[in-house]
């Protein structure tokens, strides 16, 4: 079986490989059994794709840091809103549901048709976890999800591949569709928008779109949003490596960030 994925969709293999390789470590900072299962399938040639360039040091540390930050943020929100709707935009082969599930939330994984087709080889829908094939630039995908519950929308490794106008369309679709909730968005600084600067992305054909110096820039695109906090990935990375400590001082504003927004009631 081949993995038939578009250029941007193919980047979902980067966090997959990194989470799997981190899981193999004796003192793993994150554990993702599903990622390991899928990587094993790739490495045994059941899937014909070369992933040898998808795990380099800086990307590895970045993905580990963002995984910890996003998982923690989702888990914290689920403590307050245990029956929330969790919407994972551009889900790829991510298995966050298994890592943060509280036994009550409803989880929706959204991605383009080619990504969902590949995902179905490894994941099955359940009563509380669904897959939706759709284009997040249009509002159609929201019609499959209830609108009367608090939503926790996850946009990890996603918005940097879209233009400013496209990000506006995505944000407007979210706040129009759900009565209220939280958006967890990964943001990239404009100075980091050169694909050749990234030790894994440069091995793909993906192109970045729009970067922000501050999470406040998204407020200009949707008046319903309120920025609650913005956390640089260095804040997590510096806990684990010397490079993280040095980077948090010398490059403190240039790493990706987790921005948390709220809208509605």
């Amino acid at each position: 079986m081949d993995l038939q994925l578009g250029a941007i969709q193919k980047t979902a293999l980067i966090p997959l490989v990194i989470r799997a390789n981190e899981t193999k470590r004796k003192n793993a900072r994150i554990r993702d059994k599903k990622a390991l299962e899928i990587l094993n399938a790739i490495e045994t040639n059941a899937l014909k794709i070369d992933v040898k360039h998808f795990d380099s040091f800086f990307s590895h540390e970045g993905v580990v840091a963002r995984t910890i930050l996003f998982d923690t943020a989702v888990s914290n929100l689920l403590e307050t809103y245990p029956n929330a709707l969790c919407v994972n935009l551009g889900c790829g082969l991510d298995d966050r549901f298994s890592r943060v599930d509280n036994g009550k939330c409803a989880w929706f994984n959204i991605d383009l048709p080619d990504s969902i087709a590949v995902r179905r080889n490894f994941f099955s829908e359940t009563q509380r976890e669904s897959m939706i094939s759709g284009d997040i630039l249009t509002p159609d995908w929201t019609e499959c999800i209830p609108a009367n519950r608090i939503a926790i929308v996850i946009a990890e490794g996603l918005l940097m591949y879209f233009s400013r106008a496209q990000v506006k369309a995505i944000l407007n679709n979210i706040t129009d569709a759900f009565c209220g909730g939280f958006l967890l968005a990964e943001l990239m600084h404009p100075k980091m928008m050169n694909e050749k600067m990234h030790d894994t992305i440069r091995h793909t054909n993906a192109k970045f779109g729009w970067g922000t110096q501050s999470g406040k820039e998204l407020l200009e695109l949707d008046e319903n949003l309120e920025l609650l906090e913005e956390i640089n990935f260095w804040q997590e990375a510096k806990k684990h490596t010397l490079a993280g400590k040095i980077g948090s001082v010398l490059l403190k504003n240039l790493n990706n960030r987790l921005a948390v927004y709220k809208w509605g009631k």
Side-chain angles (χ1 to χ4, degrees):
M1 176 175 59
D2 292 323
L3 284 179
Q4 299 294 333
L5 292 168
I8 293 176
Q9 297 92 297
K10 195 173 181 179
T11 63
L13 294 173
I14 295 172
L16 172 84
V17 173
I18 291 172
R19 287 170 180 156
N21 287 339
E22 179 67 22
T23 300
K24 295 178 186 178
R25 294 184 175 184
K26 181 178 180 180
N27 297 313
R29 292 163 286 179
I30 57 174
R31 298 191 183 279
D32 191 326
K33 293 181 179 179
K34 179 61 75 170
L36 189 56
E37 172 192 323
I38 298 172
L39 180 59
N40 286 339
I42 294 172
E43 291 178 336
T44 56
N45 296 317
L47 303 176
K48 300 175 182 178
I49 189 165
D50 184 1
V51 297
K52 66 177 180 291
H53 296 300
F54 287 177
D55 189 357
S56 298
F57 177 77
F58 287 106
S59 287
H60 189 105
E61 294 306 303
V63 167
V64 169
R66 86 179 191 189
T67 299
I68 293 171
L69 290 172
F70 271 80
D71 282 1
T72 300
V74 174
S75 295
N76 288 343
L77 285 170
L78 285 176
E79 287 184 7
T80 304
Y81 305 97
N83 296 306
L85 304 167
C86 295
V87 181
N88 192 11
L89 298 180
C91 62
L93 295 168
D94 177 64
D95 191 30
R96 175 160 285 116
F97 175 73
S98 294
R99 298 195 301 272
V100 305
D101 181 30
N102 64 351
K104 297 180 179 179
C105 66
W107 196 278
F108 298 88
N109 292 298
I110 321 296
D111 215 324
L112 290 169
D114 57 347
S115 290
I116 293 296
V118 170
R119 184 179 179 87
R120 290 188 184 279
N121 289 296
F122 303 101
F123 295 86
S124 299
E125 293 183 297
T126 67
Q127 186 175 0
R128 291 191 299 107
E129 185 180 17
S130 305
M131 286 180 267
I132 297 176
S133 174
D135 182 351
I136 61 173
L137 294 176
T138 71
D140 296 353
W141 63 270
T142 65
E143 297 174 1
C144 303
I145 305 175
N148 59 349
R149 290 161 61 181
I150 290 293
I152 300 172
V153 181
I154 304 160
E156 177 188 12
L158 179 70
L159 297 184
M160 65 284 296
Y161 294 107
F162 294 91
S163 68
R164 186 177 187 275
Q166 288 173 322
V167 172
K168 175 177 172 56
I170 294 168
L171 299 179
N172 295 165
N173 288 339
I174 292 169
T175 60
D176 287 346
F178 304 105
C179 62
F182 300 85
L183 169 67
L184 311 181
E186 180 179 355
L187 303 179
M188 181 179 286
H189 194 283
K191 291 184 178 180
M192 300 302 293
M193 300 298 286
N194 183 341
E195 296 83 9
K196 294 181 180 179
M197 296 172 63
H198 297 258
D199 56 8
T200 51
I201 293 294
R202 67 188 180 199
H203 296 292
T204 74
N205 294 319
K207 300 297 181 183
F208 292 131
W210 179 60
T212 62
Q213 294 187 49
S214 166
K216 293 179 180 178
E217 293 177 52
L218 269 67
L219 304 182
E220 302 170 6
L221 307 181
D222 194 310
E223 62 181 9
N224 297 298
L225 292 175
E226 173 189 355
L227 179 62
L228 300 181
E229 64 176 334
E230 192 167 5
I231 309 168
N232 195 292
F233 289 177
W234 288 125
Q235 291 181 235
E236 181 63 35
K238 70 181 181 182
K239 300 176 183 177
H240 307 289
T241 66
L242 177 60
K245 293 178 181 178
I246 295 172
S248 67
V249 175
L250 300 181
L251 303 168
K252 62 180 181 179
N253 295 321
L254 295 183
N255 206 341
N256 287 15
R257 300 100 64 202
L258 163 60
V260 181
Y261 301 87
K262 180 180 181 181
W263 80 93
K265 57 186 180 182

